[in-house]
Each structure stands twice: as structure tokens, then as C-alpha cells.
Amino acid sequence: MPDWLEVILRTLVAIVVLFFMTKILGKRQLSQLSLFEYITGISIGNLAAYVSLDLDNLWFLGLVSIAVWVAVSASMEFWTIKNRRVKNFVDGKGTVLIKDGQLIRGNLKKEKLTVDELLSQLRQKDVFAIADVEFAVMESSGVINAMLKKEHQPLTGDMLGWKMSSEQPPQTVIMDGIMLDGPLGIAGYSKEWLDYQLDQYKVNMENVLIAQIDTDGQLNIKTADGKTYPEDQKVRPQKKIQQLTHQLELELERLGQFARNDSDRLQYEAALNKVRSMSKSKL
């Protein structure tokens, strides 16, 4: 057999073996690999190169070595799941770098991390001031995660006491002019309903680039020629007004419950009643 043909065959064998061995080890991003898994990946790569290019008669021993590495790595992974101490030893533990807005210099030296490197990592998390950080930790994978102090966190509906309606992922019902029966059924609609909606906008299904049904049951269409339906000016504002009015009612109820005195509570209740009467009159 010519050498070039043997190299091709061995390379194909190595690719197939590596594929199935990787399936056994599971999928992880490079940043999530432990030190042991990183060493295993490098070693298996070198062994695969040996299997592909070494033309002596013992090349198959490389496959045996790959199998041993995979078996040890899989066993170690199973062991780290079962034993916390082994996990901490193999994978390492998170290291606190910032607490209450103060740098812990000893831990920075322990992780061989400079202040500039820490600031660079924080900027990638949209954090620009160490004093704004309540808690920052370097995970065993090397990723730095930070939690801002309460007063610097983005405002959320929960902080305002708003009860937000649950959101469902949009269902893509048409893609590249082809109707997708599965997502359409999950959304709870039929082909007849979809055809009716397309007729309302005078759009042919073959011309639809993508169409999705959102949480409110609204069909949003993007055509191949760049048009969007419903158009911005035709989006139902009534739904948005109702949502904002409901949020205002909830906020007034919350303020009334936590009012400092009866006078303030009565004012909040009067405002709440006025908002409710106005919303009823417009329905």
C-alpha cells in the first residue's frame, strides 16, 4: 500500500475514533474545561497525529492509548461528580477577588492576576468601577463573574413591585417560504388560521423569509424583499396601553400598602381609583 494512501486511511480512522471518544467525554466549551480535561485534550490530539503519520507497524497502539486516556478522563469526571473533595482538587474552587467594593490583593496574587487584567475582565461584563461591585469571583474555569451592589443594578420590574406577565419563546411557523407544522401546532394555531393571516397582509407564503408567532398570538412576518408585517404604524397600541395601565395600578397598590401614614395611603387609593375609572371608561 502506498504511504500516502496509508496516511489517508489512518487519518480517517483517527477522526472516527476521536469523534466517538469525544461523544463519550461530553461537550464543553474550552473555557469550561478543567486542568485535567485540558491536558487530556492535548494528549489525545498528539496521539491522533501519531496514529495518522507514524508508518511503523505499531501505529494501532496509539488507538489503545487514546482509549486509555478517554477511560481515565471519563472515570475522573464521574469521580468528581460523586466526591466534592476530588472535584475541588481536580477542578479547583472559585476565588473571591472583590468583596464589598474592595480588592482582595492576596487572592489576586494567588491567581497570578494583575489589576489591569481584572479590570479588563470586568469591562467585558459592563462593569467599570470596582467600588460598584458587591462580589466578584474567579471561577475554576478562569471566568470572572461579578455582582453589582444593589444601588448599581439595572432597574427591574421586580424592584418596582410590578407583576410581569410570563413570556413564551416565539414560534417560527414559516421559514424560507416553507410552513413548519410542528411549531404551528405548538403555538395552538392551524394552517387555515395562518393562511387567513397571510391573506390579510396580501403576502404569499413563498415570499416569506421568516414568520413567527409571539406570546400575544401576533404573527410577525419578514418577506424576502425586506418588508415587515404588521408595519410599525399598524402595531396595536391598545395592548401596550393596557399593560402600562396595569403596571401603574400595581405600583399604586404597592405604594398604598407601604404608605407612612393614612394621609399618604388615601392619596394613593384615590389615584388608583381614578386610574381604574379612566381605564374602564375607555373599554
Side-chain angles (χ1 to χ4, degrees):
M1 180 185 297
D3 290 346
W4 63 269
L5 182 58
E6 186 175 355
V7 169
I8 291 176
L9 292 177
R10 289 186 181 187
T11 302
L12 292 175
V13 171
I15 291 173
V16 172
V17 172
L18 282 177
F19 175 79
F20 286 103
M21 294 299 182
T22 305
K23 295 286 284 185
I24 293 174
L25 292 176
K27 298 178 289 185
R28 287 199 188 186
Q29 296 179 3
L30 181 61
S31 62
Q32 297 174 326
L33 295 178
S34 65
L35 178 61
F36 185 80
E37 290 168 336
Y38 179 70
I39 295 172
T40 299
I42 294 176
S43 301
I44 290 178
N46 289 333
L47 290 171
Y50 164 77
V51 171
S52 300
L53 298 176
D54 201 324
L55 300 180
D56 61 29
N57 294 325
L58 301 177
W59 66 273
F60 65 90
L61 293 179
L63 299 179
V64 176
S65 181
I66 289 175
V68 172
W69 269 104
V70 171
V72 172
S73 182
S75 301
M76 186 65 70
E77 185 175 351
F78 177 79
W79 200 8
T80 56
I81 293 174
K82 295 295 184 180
N83 192 308
R84 182 78 177 177
R85 292 183 178 179
V86 174
K87 175 178 175 58
N88 291 338
F89 177 76
V90 175
D91 294 341
K93 297 188 296 184
T95 304
V96 178
L97 303 177
I98 302 174
K99 189 174 183 181
D100 296 331
Q102 299 295 324
L103 281 173
I104 303 179
R105 296 187 176 275
N107 288 345
L108 285 175
K109 292 180 180 179
K110 176 183 175 181
E111 298 296 340
K112 299 178 178 61
L113 188 71
T114 66
V115 176
D116 286 340
E117 291 171 336
L118 174 61
L119 291 174
S120 176
Q121 292 282 340
L122 290 176
R123 285 194 294 270
Q124 295 179 32
K125 305 287 185 180
D126 295 328
V127 178
F128 295 89
I130 292 178
D132 296 344
V133 178
E134 179 74 27
F135 188 79
V137 59
M138 174 180 276
E139 308 293 351
S140 57
S141 61
V143 176
I144 296 177
N145 291 315
M147 181 178 70
L148 294 173
K149 293 180 178 179
K150 197 78 171 180
E151 59 270 23
H152 297 293
Q153 293 179 10
L155 195 62
T156 64
D158 182 65
M159 293 178 180
L160 297 174
W162 293 352
K163 296 180 181 179
M164 311 298 292
S165 58
S166 59
E167 289 286 335
Q168 299 295 330
Q171 296 294 332
T172 301
V173 294
I174 302 177
M175 184 178 293
D176 294 328
I178 300 174
M179 185 183 69
L180 306 177
D181 293 327
L184 185 61
I186 293 174
Y189 296 95
S190 63
K191 182 180 182 302
E192 291 72 21
W193 176 88
L194 183 59
D195 290 337
Y196 175 78
Q197 296 295 321
L198 293 175
D199 289 340
Q200 294 296 306
Y201 298 120
K202 295 180 174 56
V203 176
N204 294 323
M205 186 178 299
E206 295 76 13
N207 193 39
V208 175
L209 181 64
I210 186 171
Q212 294 180 315
I213 300 177
D214 60 20
T215 304
D216 297 327
Q218 173 69 50
L219 180 66
N220 300 296
I221 305 169
K222 184 75 173 180
T223 62
D225 53 6
K227 294 182 179 180
T228 302
Y229 300 94
E231 297 175 353
D232 292 339
Q233 63 269 25
K234 294 183 180 179
V235 175
R236 297 168 295 176
Q238 187 65 25
K239 184 71 175 179
K240 190 64 177 179
I241 294 173
Q242 290 176 355
Q243 292 176 349
L244 292 173
T245 303
H246 182 59
Q247 291 177 355
L248 178 58
E249 290 176 359
L250 292 174
E251 178 65 7
L252 290 173
E253 286 181 357
R254 187 185 70 84
L255 292 173
Q257 292 174 356
F258 296 98
R260 297 180 179 180
N261 50 60
D262 291 340
S263 176
D264 291 348
R265 180 176 55 80
L266 291 174
Q267 292 185 49
Y268 288 128
E269 289 180 355
L272 177 59
N273 292 331
K274 186 175 180 180
V275 170
R276 284 175 173 172
S277 62
M278 290 175 63
S279 60
K280 287 180 180 180
S281 65
K282 292 181 180 295
L283 295 177

